[in-house]
């Protein structure tokens, strides 16, 4: 059966677009049924509207606490009966209650090779550390920020003349490759979450996730 996907955004939605394209081409056995943003004036909502996808805007500033915002968000999301929640540049720290509600069916993408560089400013931190390699990770979301089990990683080389901005551009290319891939695997029931970590094709995946090797 085709899976129902709800995507949460806060910005331009470039990863959202990559996932929409993969669903519309038939590569992903699923459909983005709604896009929810905590900001009203972001381009990601236009991307959704252009694809005839329902949009929801829920301004977090209208709520007196993180808990009441997340509760309202859950009510909106559950109205779309999703199989999968995709965080695509959703710039909010989620409450434990929200995370537990969608345990095993919520994915996030982080711009580093986790467990390295959780949090912000990952590209500059990789440069400052003298790393020769950087990248991004799609992981299942748990209560630990950027700490859920990894599903897939995409790597890029760090060249001597790279800046934080050029590195970010390289990583974005990988993000747009591995996020649709992770969603494809989930919707095909090849990838799932368990208390032991990620299960991929019936076996435990490596702790760092499946390594994406571009052609």
């Amino acid at each position: 059966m085709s899976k129902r996907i709800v995507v949460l955004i806060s910005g331009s939605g470039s990863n959202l677009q990559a996932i929409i394209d993969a669903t519309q081409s038939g590569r992903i056995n699923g459909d983005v049924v709604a896009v929810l943003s905590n900001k009203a004036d972001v381009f990601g909502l236009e991307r959704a509207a252009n694809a005839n996808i329902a949009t929801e805007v829920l301004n977090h500033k209208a709520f007196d606490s993180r808990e009441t915002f997340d509760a309202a968000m859950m009510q909106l999301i559950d109205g779309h009966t999703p199989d999968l929640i995709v965080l695509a540049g959703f710039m909010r720290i989620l409450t434990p209650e929200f995370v537990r509600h969608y345990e095993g069916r919520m994915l996030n993408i982080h711009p580093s090779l986790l467990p390295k560089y959780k949090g912000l400013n990952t590209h500059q931190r990789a440069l400052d550390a003298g790393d020769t390699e950087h990248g991004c990770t799609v992981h299942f979301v748990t209560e630990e920020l950027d700490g859920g089990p990894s599903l897939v990683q995409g790597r890029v080389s760090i060249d001597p003349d790279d800046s934080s901005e050029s590195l970010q551009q390289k990583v974005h290319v990988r993000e747009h490759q591995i996020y649709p891939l992770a969603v494809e695997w989930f919707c095909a029931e090849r990838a799932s979450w368990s208390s032991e970590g990620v299960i991929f094709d019936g076996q435990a995946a490596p702790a760092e996730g499946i390594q994406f090797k571009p052609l």
Side-chain angles (χ1 to χ4, degrees), residues 189-208:
E189 299 183 356
R190 295 183 64 190
S192 61
W193 177 91
S194 79
S195 58
E196 305 300 316
V198 173
I199 304 299
F200 184 73
D201 285 347
Q203 297 183 322
E208 67 275 13

Side-chain angles (χ1 to χ4, degrees), residues 173-191:
V173 172
R174 285 288 180 268
E175 287 183 8
H176 300 159
Q177 292 168 328
I178 70 167
Y179 218 173
L181 182 61
V183 174
E184 177 188 348
W185 288 345
F186 183 93
C187 291
E189 299 183 356
R190 295 183 64 190

Side-chain angles (χ1 to χ4, degrees), residues 101-145:
H101 186 67
Y102 299 110
E103 186 174 69
R105 53 192 180 114
M106 182 159 53
L107 295 174
N108 183 46
I109 192 161
H110 183 73
S112 78
L113 297 173
L114 291 172
K116 276 189 168 183
Y117 312 130
K118 298 177 182 180
L120 302 175
N121 303 318
T122 60
H123 311 304
Q124 190 60 51
R125 288 158 69 190
L127 290 170
D128 292 345
D131 291 353
T132 59
E133 206 173 34
H134 188 44
C136 47
T137 306
V138 177
H139 64 93
F140 283 93
V141 178
T142 64
E143 292 179 47
E144 181 187 351
L145 183 65

Side-chain angles (χ1 to χ4, degrees), residues 69-86:
F69 172 71
D70 279 12
M73 196 162 51
M74 277 192 283
Q75 188 172 12
L76 276 181
I77 292 169
D78 288 350
H80 296 283
T81 58
D83 299 292
L84 176 65
I85 314 300
V86 173

